[in-house]
Amino acid sequence: MPHAGLCSCWGGQVLPLLLAYVCYLLLGATVFQLLEKQAESESRDQFQLEKLRFLENYTCLDQWALEQFVQVILEARMKGVNPKGNSTNPSNWNFGSSFFFAGTVVTTIGYGNLAPSTEAGQVFCVFYALVGIPLNVVFLNRLGTWLCGHLTTLERWEDQPRRSQLLQILGLSLFLTLGTLVILVFPPMVFSYVEGWSFSEGFYFAFITLSTIGFGDYVVGTDPSKHYILVYRSLAAIWILLGLAWLALILPLGPLLLQRCSQLWLLSRGLGLKVRGAPETNGLPRPQKIPISA
């Protein structure tokens, strides 16, 4: 019997979800290949062309020497050193940048543009993440629970008058809208202004960051030609923590708001139908029968 129940659960619930999951991955792979493969090929050809032009302009260099220099640049980039500029570039490991890196570790964003290069730093990062990641999960969970605790009146929503229900929905909608502006709209505008990005690039960075995907193609505070304030990356790390907490809050509140709106619309529509369709007796609506529960 347990074996039959397990097979029934697998065939009725897990298997369709697994098929949908695999199909979604295949869809994403197909679309990304169609969108990005041609651009990658063009970039590769352009890079090879630029190397040939460089060798033509500097005949004292040969192909091997150029490839060695490119390898040095790649290794420096992997260690978090920006190849542009000179040795006066701000350190990637000052306190503000280190605080930003610590935030990306515990939130599992991991942009990939910066990582410990010393053995001691790598060992410490492992143990730091082992403690920090669960601590971050607990913190976000408690913070989301605390914020939801201030909205407990929604649980007694059905027992309240229609006017109070409407006011609660409007208030919750306003709360979610303002929070979205503060977390997902204004910060991309600031990042776009400071970093010289377009708004779409700033919003892309914000979404990739708060979803903890963290590709690393866009990272704040890494352009050596710009002079950032000392707390710029620290403020970005604080924004990440607040943004993750906000997402932890709106994920359950978003469906709840839609449910309440649909219920209120159905109730108002049903009431209107009853008023218009109820037969009258001596000019008065016929009283509705109230079922008596056992």
Side-chain angles (χ1 to χ4, degrees):
M1 294 298 293
H3 179 70
L6 181 62
C7 293
S8 176
C9 179
W10 170 261
Q13 299 180 9
V14 180
L15 185 58
L17 185 60
L18 176 62
L19 292 176
Y21 183 72
V22 173
C23 290
Y24 193 74
L25 292 178
L26 293 175
L27 174 64
T30 303
V31 173
F32 284 129
Q33 182 182 23
L34 293 175
L35 294 177
E36 300 295 333
K37 187 175 182 179
Q38 182 64 29
E40 179 202 26
S41 179
E42 294 175 358
S43 298
R44 184 185 294 110
D45 295 340
Q46 181 66 27
F47 178 67
Q48 296 299 328
L49 181 61
E50 291 296 331
K51 287 200 299 183
L52 291 176
R53 290 176 179 174
F54 185 83
L55 290 174
E56 291 175 357
N57 293 331
Y58 299 92
T59 56
C60 58
L61 292 175
D62 56 11
Q63 182 73 23
W64 183 85
L66 179 59
E67 294 296 337
Q68 288 294 109
F69 182 66
V70 171
Q71 183 63 31
V72 171
I73 294 178
L74 292 176
E75 291 178 358
R77 186 66 177 176
M78 290 178 61
K79 294 181 179 180
V81 178
N82 197 319
K84 296 192 297 183
N86 49 42
S87 60
T88 61
N89 292 340
S91 172
N92 286 320
W93 294 106
N94 56 28
F95 182 78
S97 298
S98 299
F99 184 81
F100 181 79
F101 174 76
T104 62
V105 170
V106 299
T107 56
T108 68
I109 294 175
Y111 288 113
N113 68 312
L114 184 64
S117 59
T118 63
E119 184 176 352
Q122 293 170 352
V123 172
F124 174 75
C125 184
V126 170
F127 289 98
Y128 183 77
L130 287 175
V131 177
I133 293 175
L135 178 62
N136 177 70
V137 172
V138 172
F139 166 72
L140 294 178
N141 184 40
R142 292 294 178 87
L143 184 59
T145 303
W146 177 76
L147 291 174
C148 288
H150 289 72
L151 302 172
T152 53
T153 54
L154 290 175
E155 299 178 357
R156 301 183 300 271
W157 186 78
E158 292 84 355
D159 301 331
Q160 298 179 4
R162 188 65 51 79
R163 181 182 179 86
S164 298
Q165 293 176 354
L166 181 60
L167 290 177
Q168 283 189 15
I169 290 179
L170 292 177
L172 181 59
S173 301
L174 180 62
F175 174 72
L176 294 177
T177 301
L178 292 178
T180 302
L181 290 175
V182 172
I183 299 297
L184 294 178
V185 177
F186 292 152
M189 294 175 63
V190 174
F191 294 142
S192 301
Y193 174 77
V194 175
E195 302 291 341
W197 300 337
S198 65
F199 178 77
S200 61
E201 291 173 321
F203 186 81
Y204 168 80
F205 162 76
F207 177 80
I208 293 299
T209 296
L210 296 182
S211 61
T212 68
I213 297 174
F215 288 125
D217 49 349
Y218 288 88
V219 183
V220 296
T222 57
D223 191 345
S225 64
K226 298 184 180 297
H227 300 282
Y228 303 101
I229 60 175
L230 294 178
V231 296
Y232 177 62
R233 301 194 80 182
S234 298
L235 292 176
I238 295 174
W239 164 75
I240 291 174
L241 294 176
L242 293 178
L244 292 176
W246 174 253
L247 290 179
L249 173 65
I250 65 172
L251 287 179
L253 283 185
L256 178 61
L257 177 62
L258 294 177
Q259 180 185 7
R260 295 303 190 226
C261 289
S262 62
Q263 288 179 354
L264 185 61
W265 180 76
L266 290 174
L267 287 174
S268 60
R269 188 168 179 267
L271 181 61
L273 291 175
K274 288 181 180 180
V275 172
R276 291 193 300 268
E280 295 185 353
T281 305
N282 297 327
L284 296 176
R286 180 178 296 176
Q288 301 292 323
K289 293 182 180 181
I290 302 176
I292 300 176
S293 58

